[in-house]
Amino acid sequence: MSFCNFFGGEKYKDHFKPGIYVCSKCDHQLFSSRSKYEHSSPWPAFTETVKEDSVSKHQERPGAFKVRCGNCGNGLGHEFVNDGPSKGVSRF
């Protein structure tokens, strides 16, 4: 989801209205607003995907996975192991 910039202008970081987040290129369903949580990074963060195949992940380096749309491969960001809300889940 190409909706933010590291230096500001993040469109959905502080957006918490109910709904489904979809890929900006192909409209594939990715995340539910129910799984979104506040995070200190500039990017929106989620605890789980809508479906098992909503995203694909590959390890970029130890503890960091590149996350892509499960349909078209659009880059969505990273998942960091042991980073997330107090439940201990990873973020996207």
Side-chain angles (χ1 to χ4, degrees), residues 29-41:
Q29 292 187 351
L30 303 169
F31 308 103
S32 167
S33 59
R34 292 185 311 254
S35 69
K36 190 170 188 294
Y37 66 95
E38 291 187 42
H39 193 272
S40 60
S41 81

Side-chain angles (χ1 to χ4, degrees), residues 25-67:
K25 290 195 176 189
C26 72
D27 289 329
H28 186 62
Q29 292 187 351
L30 303 169
F31 308 103
S32 167
S33 59
R34 292 185 311 254
S35 69
K36 190 170 188 294
Y37 66 95
E38 291 187 42
H39 193 272
S40 60
S41 81
W43 296 279
F46 304 89
T47 58
E48 61 188 14
T49 58
V50 171
K51 299 176 188 172
E52 191 174 319
D53 66 348
S54 291
V55 302
S56 65
K57 298 184 256 186
H58 76 272
Q59 189 170 15
E60 226 174 39
R61 62 183 184 275
F65 293 84
K66 179 67 178 172
V67 180

